[in-house]
Amino acid sequence: MLGERLDSWLRGHGPLVDALIALLLATCCVLLGLFVRAEAAYFLFSLLLSLPLAFRRRNPAVCAALVLGTAGVQWLAIRNDVGALPADLAVPLAVHAAAAYGPRQAGGAALALGLAGAVLGGLSWPMLPSSATAHLLVGAFLASTVVAAWATGTLRRVRLSQREQEARLAVLAERNRIAREMHDIVAHSLAVVIAQADGGRYAASPEAGRSALVTIGECARQALGDLRRVLGVLRDGRA
């Protein structure tokens, strides 16, 4: 129950959660940089990698383009000086967002660019003199991280699509139920009105005619109330 509530809250406050994630990652990277007395390039790339995560669900394609582009510039600019940054964690997060919330083309492009970045990272890291096996292991680790992010994002897309389909089916079923209910109300009321009108027309006494008219009025008022109740459900957005 608690997990469902938490998941519902997270889904209902997506932009706020994304902003908090971006702020948390940027803050941790900046504090770490201050602790180790990093150079200005470290802080610049850390912020450029972290901050686009604030809109990773609203504009996933733009977020992925900014993060992956910054990662590429980072590899060209400081790969031999600083190497990998803690803010590079933004790369799999951006790939996940592109696969989960963006167009399918954006998810595929993010996967391809992420894998290309993994190859480049494997070529450069570790920075210390290492064997080819070490570079292969680093590249494989980076590539597996990107693929895992893309796969979980794709799974998220499928689940969201299923929820939307279930919601559409629920709306259709509710519309059919309301249509049947309105049909029953109108058909029953008209049948009573017709029967009473025919009976009143052939009634031998004025009292019988008045009784038929009273029944017609009561039936019509009841039908009108039922129709208002049904239409009131349609006007209620929550219902």
Side-chain angles (χ1 to χ4, degrees), residues 63-128:
C63 172
L66 291 175
V67 171
L68 293 171
T70 301
V73 175
Q74 169 201 341
W75 185 84
L76 293 173
I78 62 173
R79 69 179 188 275
N80 295 325
D81 299 327
V82 179
L85 302 177
D88 288 329
L89 179 61
V91 171
L93 292 177
V95 172
H96 174 275
Y101 309 109
R104 292 185 181 276
Q105 296 84 353
L111 174 63
L113 292 175
L115 292 177
V119 173
L120 296 178
L123 292 175
S124 300
W125 306 318
M127 298 176 62
L128 298 175

Side-chain angles (χ1 to χ4, degrees), residues 146-183:
V146 171
V147 171
W150 176 83
T152 55
T154 302
L155 180 60
R156 176 67 174 172
R157 172 192 291 278
V158 171
R159 289 179 176 176
L160 290 175
S161 178
Q162 289 177 345
R163 289 177 181 174
E164 292 176 358
Q165 182 67 18
E166 291 173 357
R168 286 194 294 266
L169 292 175
V171 169
L172 181 60
E174 183 65 11
R175 286 177 177 174
N176 291 334
R177 186 193 67 80
I178 292 174
R180 288 194 302 269
E181 187 172 350
M182 292 182 66
H183 175 270

Side-chain angles (χ1 to χ4, degrees), residues 1-3 8 10 19 53 56 59 69 78-79 81 98 120 200 232 237:
M1 182 64 70
L2 181 59
S8 177
L10 292 176
L53 296 178
R56 69 187 187 95
N59 295 288
I78 62 173
R79 69 179 188 275
D81 299 327
L120 296 178

